[in-house]
Amino acid sequence: MTSTSTSDILILVLGVGLAAAYLFRDQLFAASKPKAAPVVASKGQNGFGNPRDFIAKMKEGKKRLVIFYGSQTGTAEEYAIRLAKEAKTKFGLASLVCDPEEYDFENLDQLPEDCAAFFVMATYGEGEPTDNAVQLMQNLQDESFEFSNSEHKLPGLKYVVFGLGNKTYEHYNSIGRAVDTELTKMGATRIGERGEGDDDKSMEEDYLEWKDGMWEAFAAALGVEEGQGGDSPDFVVSELDLLPAEKVYLGELSARALTRTKGIHDAKNPFPSPITEARELFQNPAARNCAHIELNTEGSGITYQHGDHVGVWPSNPDVEVDRLLCALGLMDKKDKVIGIESLDPALAKVPFPVPTTYATVIRHYIDISAVAGRQILGTLSKFAPNPNAEEILKNLNTNKEEYHNVVALGCLKLGEVLQIAAGNDTKTHPTTENTTAWSIPFDIIVSSIPRLQPRYYSISSSPKLYPNSIHVTCVVLKYQSEASQHVPQKWCYGVGSNFLLNLRYAAVGETALIAISPDPAVASIPSYQIEGPRGMYKEDTVYKAPIHVRRSTFRLPTNPKSPVIMIGPGTGVAPFRGFVQERVALARRSIEKNGPDALADWGRISLFYGCRRSNEDFLYADEWPKYAEDLKGKFVMHCAFSRQNYKPDGSKIYVQDLLWDDREHVAEAILQGKGNVYICGEAKNMSKQVEDVLARILGEAKGGSAAVEGVAEVKLLKERSRLMLDVWS
């Protein structure tokens, strides 16, 4: 074996050392290299470094106002956008309109001194924030939440609050008021008075009365002058040629709906649900209608629970579509394909999918059936066909009393206002021959008229009995307007309920008086394009309704031993039909498993129901006895027929009277049995009066008064979710 020389060993050691140096070069020589700067996404990649940082977005876009909206149905968002537009028009100031759910609030204290924060906040349910404002409210109300100043303080913040609520509800505008209170506690300064809109009367009028004084205070607080802005359109509308028909939206709400891609059915992709059964629930449908409709959800992936709501997407009635098309001079090109582009996407997003057509926008996408707003009339007066029409619109815009008497009480839609101002006859079906055309740019129509929204109904079935079927119980809205000097009395029709009535007649092959009669004494019903876009809502002889489900917390207690008290006159009984069906399904299973005495320890279910007469409008009269039999005496129904049975003094009997008559059981069920109470129906009178009677019953049962002990007990029931309401105005 040859001996290794010293030189060979040195060469070997040197080679190993060089190899190691090469392998670990980054660690050995890192100090001599400059540190690499962190990679920051360019503006082109995601717009901003942190998409949840509204301060950075304001600086980037040179915006001085941030407007947060808490919205459940879209109304608060609409008012937030209106405020942003007015700030731009009056003062030339740009705004960032924000869904608070999409932003963090730790740096709210960093809002510069020459900026202001607006909070447009709706109150939802029982004084709760809207779903998208829950985190914002938690941050404002939690004293342990710290802003970037390491404190729960906002010194120097200037803010504006406009709340949206309904005075028929107990917690009127509680969220707007809470925002105001919390910001003031933290040292922020409010600009002007807090605005409060009441949806029970006129949200629009409350907003108009509030905004002028607010803008005056705003100008002083921020040191700006009115007149620095200017009228500029929100959108550009272009007429398009040579576009494939399959790429044009004709009433579909999303790309998924247009391409009929399989996926989740929600508010942007409603499910065309086949109508499997449809019938009239009132005995005299010539006078009043109430439709029972069963919607098949099999294969849709849609599920529901008792107490949930179903959203039905109506279209506008044919007569109003034709009226506005004629008044805008668009009837001859109603099917022309148009594209719509926003000139400021941060401020005004195109509110519906495009490309589409003029007729589609007016029929499916914007709410032309609502009473025309006072503010829009001033804008449209500039495009009047003659000086007299211009003067009429200006007067309606500036004269609040005249607007109330003519437009609000007359229930006038925009198309009708334009016809009346031009001297046209509104009683005949509108055509290009009898309707004067106005030269109103279509972009103004798009930006001024709110989006057509779904109509929500309490589901009147239980998935335990009807797993693939959603039942709707819908009273059809029609009433007569008040006559004025300029407008005769006429019939007014609810959009959603008359859309469903059209479907009910079509589903069973019946014909109805579907036309607008020139005789004001005759109440016909308006017709709708119920086949839907591209005939999507009709297959052979089966009609379909576009629907999605909205979850609710209006639920029975899980334990059937808890007593249940339900108060639901009229169609307020709808969810309680589902509640009772839920208990019936559970009872059948329990009896099958445990024998005939399985319900012995169940709590009693009491339903207080009211209508006019037992032989006129008693909803589901044939079903309740069957449910009572299934529930083995655990279901008791109390009925008030307000125009059939009377008190000794001749006054009418209502559900609250029946509740008082059964006060001993009611008090025992609530206080000893720890029962749950549910109220569904009209909020303005019935709901309040029922709560008053509950307070009286509970106050007396506790040895006190309704005003003190009773009110306290009702409040406690609400706090513990043992008194729940599903009411409407």
Side-chain angles (χ1 to χ4, degrees), residues 314-317 320 367 369-370 411 413 452 455 457 474-480 490-502 524-528:
S315 58
N316 287 302
E320 298 307 329
D367 194 357
S369 300
C411 191
K413 303 161 190 69
L452 184 61
R455 271 46 177 181
Y457 302 93
C474 172
V475 68
V476 178
L477 180 64
K478 63 181 180 184
Y479 61 94
Q480 287 188 287
K490 68 184 184 72
W491 284 95
C492 307
Y493 303 89
V495 173
S497 60
N498 282 278
F499 175 78
L500 283 174
L501 185 60
N502 271 245
S524 52
I525 69 170
S527 63
Y528 292 76

Side-chain angles (χ1 to χ4, degrees), residues 321 325 333-336 357-364:
V321 173
L325 284 170
K333 57 176 183 177
K334 63 180 181 177
D335 296 321
K336 184 68 179 176
T357 68
Y358 289 117
T360 300
V361 172
I362 290 173
R363 182 180 299 280
H364 293 286

Side-chain angles (χ1 to χ4, degrees), residues 345-358:
L347 177 61
K349 298 176 184 176
V350 179
F352 41 77
V354 289
T356 183
T357 68
Y358 289 117

Side-chain angles (χ1 to χ4, degrees), residues 166-186:
N166 188 309
K167 278 189 176 173
T168 61
Y169 293 82
E170 179 184 353
H171 303 281
Y172 173 65
N173 261 315
S174 63
I175 297 302
R177 294 174 183 179
V179 168
D180 189 19
T181 299
E182 296 300 329
L183 291 174
T184 300
K185 276 200 302 188
M186 288 184 279

Side-chain angles (χ1 to χ4, degrees), residues 316-337:
N316 287 302
D318 295 336
V319 65
E320 298 307 329
V321 173
D322 290 350
R323 192 189 311 278
L324 193 55
L325 284 170
C326 290
L328 296 176
L330 296 173
M331 179 59 87
D332 293 337
K333 57 176 183 177
K334 63 180 181 177
D335 296 321
K336 184 68 179 176
V337 177

Side-chain angles (χ1 to χ4, degrees), residues 193-336:
E193 296 297 319
R194 179 183 66 239
E196 292 189 349
D198 178 13
D199 194 39
D200 182 49
K201 291 185 178 178
S202 175
M203 185 79 70
E204 176 77 2
E205 287 302 322
D206 292 336
Y207 171 78
L208 295 178
E209 284 187 17
W210 164 78
K211 73 181 184 73
D212 291 338
M214 182 277 295
W215 285 127
E216 187 177 332
F218 172 87
L222 266 69
V224 293
E225 292 184 5
E226 195 168 339
Q228 297 174 2
D231 287 331
S232 58
D234 296 321
F235 305 105
V236 173
V237 178
S238 308
E239 296 185 352
L240 307 175
D241 296 312
L242 304 176
L243 207 65
E246 66 271 13
K247 293 186 180 296
V248 179
Y249 290 86
L250 298 180
E252 299 88 356
L253 299 175
S254 65
R256 280 183 294 156
L258 179 66
T259 58
R260 305 199 184 186
T261 305
K262 288 187 177 180
I264 296 172
H265 290 288
D266 53 21
K268 291 187 177 179
N269 185 29
F271 172 63
S273 176
I275 297 172
T276 55
E277 183 175 333
R279 65 180 189 270
E280 176 62 51
L281 294 176
F282 287 169
Q283 276 66 50
N284 182 16
R288 295 162 65 221
N289 297 98
C290 186
H292 171 86
I293 295 178
E294 298 183 12
L295 303 162
N296 186 358
T297 58
E298 191 170 1
S300 67
I302 290 178
T303 60
Y304 74 99
Q305 295 296 319
H306 67 281
D308 282 346
H309 302 110
V310 61
V312 178
W313 289 83
S315 58
N316 287 302
D318 295 336
V319 65
E320 298 307 329
V321 173
D322 290 350
R323 192 189 311 278
L324 193 55
L325 284 170
C326 290
L328 296 176
L330 296 173
M331 179 59 87
D332 293 337
K333 57 176 183 177
K334 63 180 181 177
D335 296 321
K336 184 68 179 176

